[in-house]
Amino acid sequence: MQLQNSTKDQLRAIVARIERLEEEKAALAADLREVYAEAKGNGFDVKALRSVVRIRKQDENKRKEEEAVLVTYLHALGMAEAEAA
């Protein structure tokens, strides 16, 4: 199968953009690892930080709904503190 020159040029441009974005993604991932390492070095719990970041990304209503379900399950399993009377 032969591609026309314009199609070849377009393909090269797309591949070059993808490669550039992959390099940027790798650089950002390295930066994130450094920030988490810094946080850990300062005594912060990295797993908790990752959870906080994940939660902050969520829609507020969805987050509240998930929290309510979790609390319900924890109570049902006897794992949650009793609510104040």
Side-chain angles (χ1 to χ4, degrees), residues 62-75:
K62 183 178 179 187
R63 179 181 51 79
K64 286 180 179 180
E65 181 181 324
E66 288 178 7
E67 287 175 355
V69 171
L70 177 61
V71 167
T72 300
Y73 288 4
L74 292 175
H75 278 288

Side-chain angles (χ1 to χ4, degrees), residues 29-75:
D31 290 347
L32 279 169
R33 281 191 300 273
E34 288 178 20
V35 172
Y36 281 114
E38 178 185 340
K40 184 176 182 177
N42 288 325
F44 292 101
D45 184 304
V46 172
K47 187 174 179 180
L49 283 174
R50 289 183 189 277
S51 293
V52 168
V53 170
R54 180 182 45 79
I55 289 168
R56 287 174 53 113
K57 287 181 186 177
Q58 289 180 335
D59 173 71
E60 184 179 356
N61 291 328
K62 183 178 179 187
R63 179 181 51 79
K64 286 180 179 180
E65 181 181 324
E66 288 178 7
E67 287 175 355
V69 171
L70 177 61
V71 167
T72 300
Y73 288 4
L74 292 175
H75 278 288

